[in-house]
Amino acid sequence: MKPRVMMLSIFTALVGLARAPLQPDTIQTLFAVIAIAAGAGAAGVLNMWYDADIDAIMARTAMRPIPSGRVTRVEALALGIALANGSVLLMALAANLVAAALLAGTILFYVVIYTAWLKRSTPQNIVIGGAAGALPPLVGWAAATGDIGAEPLVLLLIIFLWTPPHFWSLALTRTDDYAKASVPMLPVVAGSRATRRQILIYSVLLVPASALPWILGFTGALYEVTAAVCSTIFAALGLRLLRSDEADRRATHRLFMFSIAYLFVLFAALLVDHGGRPALRVHSSRAAGTHIGFLHTELLFATVQPARDCLIGRVSEV
């Protein structure tokens, strides 16, 4: 289920849920969180089911459950389909049909559009496919409100722009692996220099994008300062990467590791900063529930530690 890889997606979905102007009751919240986690796991399982052939070729993925022989492809497919259907059904019952449809769309986009189509056909696979990883805040928001608001769309934009420099910095360290598996990642097709330029462009675009929650009045000074500092560092690391020796992987490694910390810190600041003007309220298809309560808080903070742990866990993937 690739829990380390999916942890940040689950965390961003929880932030979207917590930031929503309407809140479900604690039982609905609990099952919505379970549905989001199961949906993320389903996407991971089905990704590894489809990519089992190239996973066996690449050193980075050769020890995954299917290529290592611990799980068969049939078992993985059955688990993935069961998790996907179960997560969508649970979201529909616990929250609403809008959230369930968005969750289903996220899983399908990641598995069908990114994994089965884009990943093996275009060097822009990460750019377009990044939309799947950007949808979780929208799912969380919809689980709370039954609708879509301006704030989660801004969060979607931030994650969408964050995804290319995050994954391309990893791809730079595994270019030979991707070439061996005939996966047209940007470093394989366009080379290291062009990839580094693209990383810098997206890193710079993150600076104004990350400021939008504050500019639009969704957050206060704490988020403003956090976003300004983190985005400036991100852009500086992108510039350093462009100027670094292509044989020196330290600059690439620094940017990749900081990119994980960046998204976690930025969304943690969103979680705790309620100093801005009230978020733009949207029409909800159902009445507002009770406030988030102690269980809601415990669920959110229970996610913080695993999300931090993934900073360590992802080192082994580089």
Side-chain angles (χ1 to χ4, degrees):
M1 293 174 68
K2 303 169 73 169
R4 285 190 305 227
V5 177
M6 296 297 177
M7 188 56 66
L8 281 176
S9 295
I10 297 169
F11 182 58
T12 58
L14 285 169
V15 173
L17 192 154
R19 295 279 311 178
L22 305 176
Q23 293 295 333
D25 62 36
T26 54
I27 299 301
Q28 289 175 311
T29 297
L30 173 61
F31 284 111
V33 170
I34 293 172
I36 291 168
V45 170
L46 292 172
N47 168 267
M48 287 194 287
W49 161 75
Y50 191 87
D51 279 349
D53 56 335
I54 61 175
D55 281 352
I57 298 172
M58 298 173 61
R60 183 175 69 89
T61 55
M63 291 309 297
R64 283 179 173 174
I66 300 174
S68 65
R70 302 195 304 274
V71 176
T72 69
R73 291 192 72 172
V74 173
E75 290 170 338
L77 178 60
L79 175 61
I81 291 175
L83 282 171
N85 289 328
S87 65
V88 173
L89 178 60
L90 180 60
M91 182 66 82
L93 295 174
N96 54 73
L97 292 178
V98 174
L102 285 170
L103 181 59
T106 302
I107 297 169
L108 287 172
F109 196 100
Y110 185 74
V111 176
V112 178
I113 304 299
Y114 169 67
T115 302
W117 177 30
L118 297 172
K119 185 174 182 178
R120 307 189 191 205
S121 62
T122 172
Q124 294 300 310
N125 47 20
I126 288 300
V127 178
I128 306 169
L135 284 170
L138 213 59
V139 176
W141 182 284
T145 65
D147 216 325
I148 296 172
E151 185 172 350
L153 291 175
V154 172
L155 303 186
L156 182 152
L157 175 64
I158 293 172
I159 301 175
F160 182 80
L161 294 174
W162 166 88
T163 300
H166 169 69
F167 278 99
W168 281 336
S169 60
L170 173 62
L172 281 171
T173 68
R174 299 293 180 176
T175 302
D176 293 341
D177 246 6
Y178 285 116
K180 189 193 310 181
S182 300
V183 178
M185 296 296 287
L186 190 63
V188 176
V189 176
S192 174
R193 187 71 179 175
T195 302
R196 291 165 185 242
R197 283 197 299 268
Q198 290 296 312
I199 286 174
L200 177 59
I201 290 171
Y202 279 95
S203 300
V204 170
L205 289 174
L206 269 175
V207 176
S210 66
L212 284 176
W214 174 74
I215 293 172
L216 296 175
F218 301 139
T219 62
L222 173 62
Y223 174 82
E224 175 193 3
V225 173
T226 302
V229 171
C230 290
S231 298
T232 300
I233 294 173
F234 204 131
L237 289 173
L239 181 61
R240 178 179 293 184
L241 175 61
L242 180 64
R243 293 176 173 176
S244 66
D245 186 341
E246 293 188 11
D248 184 2
R249 292 189 173 186
R250 286 177 297 180
T252 307
H253 181 75
R254 287 193 200 100
L255 190 142
F256 174 72
M257 295 307 300
F258 183 78
S259 69
I260 302 172
Y262 171 85
L263 199 64
F264 169 73
V265 171
L266 206 67
F267 274 74
L270 282 166
L271 184 62
V272 300
D273 187 355
H274 298 283
R277 296 190 299 274
L280 178 64
R281 291 184 177 272
V282 297
H283 173 70
S284 176
S285 59
R286 56 183 174 79
T290 59
H291 282 285
I292 199 166
F294 288 108
L295 176 59
H296 213 149
T297 304
E298 289 168 3
L299 286 169
L300 291 167
F301 279 94
T303 307
V304 170
Q305 184 60 43
R308 291 175 58 193
D309 289 345
C310 82
L311 301 182
I312 300 173
R314 289 297 291 272
V315 175
S316 61
E317 299 183 10
V318 181

